[in-house]
Amino acid sequence: MNDLKKANALYRSKKYEAALAIYENYETESVVLKDSIVFNINRIKKLLENTVKSYKESLGKADRDYLKKQYLEDNASLAKVIANVKIYLNNNKESWAKFLVNAALEFWGNEEKLLLLQAQCYFVTKDFVEAVGSCEKIIKNNEFCSDAYKIKEQALIELEEFEAANSVFLNMPISEFPKEAKKRGVNPCLPKNFTLPPLVGVNNDYTHILEKVKSIDWSNFTYVKKVSIIITVYNRSQVLANTLAGIVQQSYPQSLIEVLVIDDGSNVDICEPTIRKYEKYLNIIYVRQKDEGYRLAKARNLGLSLCKGDGIIFMDADILPLSQDIEKYMRVLHIDTNCVLIGHRRYVDVSAINDDEILKSSEYAESLPSINPNNDVAGRVDDNGIAFDWRFETYNNTNFLKEDLWPFNKASGGNIAFSRELLKRAGLVDEAFQAWGCEDGEHGYRLYNEGAYFIPMLDIICLHQEPVNEHGEEKFDDGESFRSKGHKITKQILESKCPAPYARKFTKGRLYEVPKVSIYIPVFNGEKYIVSAVESCLSQSYTDIEVVICNDGSTDNTLNLLKEKYTGHPRVHLFSKQNGGIGSATNYAISKCNGMYIAQLDADDRLKPNAVAECVQVLDYQNVDGVYTDCEYIDDRGEYVRDGWCGGQFDRMWMATSMIATHFRMFRRRIIARIPSVNENIANAVDLDLWLKINERAHITHIHKKLYQYRWHGQNTSIAKRKLQEKNHVIVVNDSFRRLGLSDTWEITSAGNKLNPRELIVRESSTECEVNKLVVLIPSCKKYAYKADAIRKTWAKKLSSLGASIWFLYGDPEASYAYTSSDCLFVPCRDDYESLLLKLTLGYEYVHKHFNFRFLLKIDDDCILNVPKFRSLLKEQAVCEQYLGMAVHKKGVKMNNKWHYGKCSTPDFDKPYKDNVAPVTYAKGGYSYILRKDALTPIIRKLGVFKSEIQDSVYSYEDVRVGEVLAESGIFVRELDVKLNDAKSLKSDDCIEDSLLIFDVSDEPCFYNISFENKMEKA
């Protein structure tokens, strides 16, 4: 046994060969002891394998002499040695670096900077034991050298000395927590010319949906989706008859319409004659439920259980649709199923007409004047005493709900549409609502959580049928209306089921049916810390929470502990499943969360008491979908160690390659419905995978407060599984680039930094520009329609036949959204001279969002393109380029800054352009230029600036501004080696076949006379 103690002492002293000799010769009958000895033998052999030959043996004598003479003899310079050691390391000349730094240490002694470089050299050459030794020398003299601790920690991890690595981490010098979050510079992983595509569909911005809808030629569209119109009614048979007559008059195909009339126990006959009358006009189903009081929710669910439509419309019996309303709803639902469509109303008196008149013509009802119905829910009244839909005031303050935090409470159940697909995810109407009001708000809340966009259909304003009498709405003996009395009841139910701040005010300690926040905890074999984690949730100052625990097949006592401690606890929900890994457990846990906001806690960590409250405050009042905080480190006993890494202000470009979203993290439930689930095929880096997906679709912000306690205990994934985490880090970043459409033009590789293997380098990949991946945008205007016709029939026809997508760009000042029609793209702006830059930018935004392409050619409508030559040029000269010009204007060269005088729609623009010499080298717009898809992003980001310039009557030269904006993002023009010709100077005998482009074409015949047909056929 004394020999064994001696061997253990030698091992601890890093005298591995001597220890190994004793271990290998030691004999014992104890099986346990034998296993321990074998373990130590294998570990020592691995350590010795990682120890390479000494630095003197790894380099030839001539090289050693050269290095000594060059750096350590005449005029020796420490700074020069340090600089060249780093150069050698960066150029994979590790043996040179190691010899030079060791020789320098002999020359200068234990200089800290040299010892640190020596440790880096040893680490790079996998001499991990020696790296640890160098670091220990530094720390002995300077206990505050954080770099020495970091290298020592990583070297010990490589040696699989996890407990020792953890001890090093916990003893690192403490740095002061900054008062303010640091501002981020440029992400070093990304080249300056790298851009991320703009966010699409963020928050409730439904623009992308309506742009698609407006771009369809509906006159030639064949509708295929069925619609179910669910009408709830109580007693009002004549009003119902009017509504059914309005449905008969619909422009949407009657073969695709089914009507379900659900009678909530009327005490008058609805079926005879109203339903019977309309059976011959409509596919109608009538169902009556027993009169049990106000049961609107139950009636709607009865209709939902019977309906067969792809689209569903809730329509109250007193809502009379105009002739195209159903078609307008269904156009959107043909394009996108992840939306709720909000119809509107105006109040009319229908006492003077009947359904027979509406059957003859819908104009009878549509011509009725608006009134004030004198009830307490009619909405707003204008200066003339006429009621109008209250939501229009809200739209003015929220950019038509795009910036509304709670758009679902504008979706009144009496006139809305949604898809069956969305309904399946959100569920039926809640039948707990048994008085007037709020059932639509609660159902809308669940639709919102499923990621739905709430779209106000501004062109759907149905007629709300109201009887007019001097007394107004019927009231109870106490003077209160039926609706008002019911709303007092239902808003209390809504408070328990909908956590949005307009419906629920926080009351500490109160338990609600639906919690506001769900904190999910995936756990596998976490018996040591799991109770501490859960208790930190239950001790939050903000108590409107639930804790969702997913036990991922633990084999220790985790499950028993949780059952014993939390069975029956109203705020803790425990689920168990077979072990599937952290990705599987995360997805499962999230699927069980009921809250509007979802937060994540690791099973070995803790929350500080105000963590939830601080994040809720952000999500309640800011239009972001995700928020994260800073953290502090604790040890295995829960004692404070030091402040955690502070990632600084949020930056989307940094998040694209790095996990800057530190703990504590919280996000809206709806964003989960809009992104792919977590990757279940990776064992770690799951948090990064999730937040990369959020970063692709949502706004994120940061709280600069330490609200999370990250426990370091030696078996953390970042220690015990660091290599695997580094591998998975690259995998999930690559996946993100693929989802963003960047993988065609950018590739991700390791930076080769052995001290930080997660450091990435993003490089441009070799990308050929093929014609079938090309979008051509031709800005024009209506007065030059003859040019567009000529282009269509000549060079554009040829280019299109090769697979290019060709679009003429126009401004439409009456449009709210960009749209396409035939081969024309219309954008919402004026179509005048001064709006060219704005028009182009809006066009770039649209094609970037909706088209699949790699390059874009912007070419004016007075140009003729030599298609065969252009096709060859793309293959030969457009590889990897982001910005190509047929001709360029050099930086500093004089330019005419009054060129626009007299050309704009108003003299207000006749002011000199800000520059009279070119501020950058730019591609001349009149000769066309080519942009790679990712180069459009910086231009699109300036959309607000360009709009402001127009409003301030500032004329901007389109080509100059494009060049300036791109140069700011590190994207510079390259001039193509091409020949151009001016149409005005062409002579009949000129040879033009070598020209790529003929510009300034003003005469229509010129488009037809200048032909490259022979070249085309040859190509």
Side-chain angles (χ1 to χ4, degrees), residues 317-348:
D318 54 9
I319 294 293
L320 174 54
L322 305 188
S323 59
Q324 292 186 320
D325 287 349
I326 306 304
E327 184 176 13
K328 290 172 182 176
Y329 275 140
M330 291 308 295
R331 283 177 178 177
V332 181
L333 293 180
H334 269 78
I335 298 303
D336 197 293
T337 58
N338 198 42
C339 53
V340 176
L341 309 178
I342 302 172
H344 303 88
R345 61 198 175 197
R346 69 180 182 90
Y347 293 88
V348 297

Side-chain angles (χ1 to χ4, degrees), residues 182-197:
K182 65 180 181 182
K183 294 182 179 179
R184 292 190 175 278
V186 177
N187 183 344
C189 296
L190 301 174
K192 190 177 179 183
N193 63 327
F194 176 87
T195 63
L196 283 173

Side-chain angles (χ1 to χ4, degrees), residues 149 153 164-172 633 641-642 712 719:
Y149 285 91
E153 179 205 9
N166 186 56
S167 177
V168 171
F169 179 86
L170 294 177
N171 286 292
M172 282 185 185
Y633 297 133
V641 175
R642 69 170 191 276
W712 283 89
I719 290 181

Side-chain angles (χ1 to χ4, degrees), residues 4 85 99 171 221 422-423 456 471 577-578 787 866 935 1017:
L4 193 57
V85 169
F99 173 83
N171 286 292
F221 187 86
L422 181 60
L423 176 73
H471 304 294
K577 58 182 280 296
Q578 282 189 331
K787 292 184 182 180
N866 184 336
E1017 290 174 0

Side-chain angles (χ1 to χ4, degrees), residues 610-858:
N610 288 328
V612 172
E614 295 276 1
C615 292
V616 165
Q617 182 69 15
V618 169
L619 294 178
D620 271 356
Y621 297 103
Q622 293 186 32
N623 233 328
V624 297
D625 274 349
V627 59
Y628 65 96
T629 76
D630 296 319
C631 66
E632 63 188 26
Y633 297 133
I634 58 175
D635 61 19
D636 57 349
R637 296 167 299 167
E639 298 294 326
Y640 170 84
V641 175
R642 69 170 191 276
D643 295 339
W645 174 68
C646 173
Q649 295 177 352
F650 176 75
D651 186 290
R652 190 166 171 248
M653 294 280 275
W654 276 83
M655 187 72 230
T657 62
S658 312
M659 186 47 168
I660 65 168
T662 49
H663 296 284
F664 177 48
R665 311 181 190 111
M666 187 182 290
F667 49 86
R668 294 184 196 274
R669 180 187 179 91
R670 74 168 174 193
I671 193 61
I672 289 296
R674 294 179 179 178
I675 62 174
S677 58
V678 167
N679 186 344
E680 297 188 5
N681 298 316
I682 52 177
N684 47 29
V686 166
D687 294 347
L688 175 60
D689 181 56
L690 173 61
W691 280 78
L692 283 173
K693 288 166 179 170
I694 295 174
N695 191 46
E696 294 159 18
R697 295 295 308 274
H699 290 313
I700 301 170
T701 194
H702 168 241
I703 298 174
H704 186 53
K705 293 182 181 180
K706 298 171 291 179
L707 300 173
Y708 190 97
Q709 294 183 317
Y710 189 100
R711 191 189 303 269
W712 283 89
H713 47 69
Q715 295 302 314
N716 305 75
T717 294
S718 51
I719 290 181
K721 296 182 179 178
R722 176 170 288 185
K723 286 190 174 182
L724 184 58
Q725 191 170 40
E726 290 158 357
K727 176 184 175 183
N728 288 331
H729 183 103
V730 177
I731 289 173
V732 297
V733 173
N734 264 308
D735 287 345
S736 179
F737 272 43
R738 176 182 48 76
R739 289 189 298 270
L740 289 169
L742 297 172
S743 54
D744 283 345
T745 48
W746 299 95
E747 59 185 13
I748 302 167
T749 58
S750 170
N753 184 349
K754 294 183 174 66
L755 288 168
N756 182 12
R758 275 186 276 183
E759 183 181 331
L760 307 175
I761 291 180
V762 178
R763 294 191 179 95
E764 287 183 271
S765 58
S766 180
T767 308
E768 288 189 0
C769 179
E770 300 172 358
V771 176
N772 62 358
K773 292 289 185 180
L774 180 74
V775 166
V776 181
L777 207 55
I778 309 170
S780 189
C781 57
K782 291 180 181 178
K783 69 178 180 178
Y784 294 132
Y786 69 91
K787 292 184 182 180
D789 288 339
I791 290 171
R792 285 187 184 97
K793 296 172 183 176
T794 54
W795 66 262
K797 181 179 179 181
K798 299 171 188 176
L799 193 59
S800 179
S801 70
L802 297 173
S805 178
I806 299 175
W807 298 90
F808 293 91
L809 177 65
Y810 298 96
D812 181 355
E814 302 300 319
S816 300
Y817 301 97
Y819 64 96
T820 59
S821 178
S822 184
D823 61 353
C824 299
L825 169 56
F826 296 90
V827 293
C829 71
R830 299 200 307 266
D831 206 25
D832 47 32
Y833 189 81
E834 62 267 24
S835 298
L836 175 60
L837 176 59
L838 177 60
K839 182 167 71 173
L840 272 171
T841 305
L842 288 166
Y844 294 159
E845 181 184 45
Y846 184 91
V847 300
H848 193 288
K849 194 184 301 182
H850 296 293
F851 293 175
N852 179 22
F853 67 101
R854 193 169 293 168
F855 287 86
L856 178 142
L857 169 67
K858 177 265 174 183

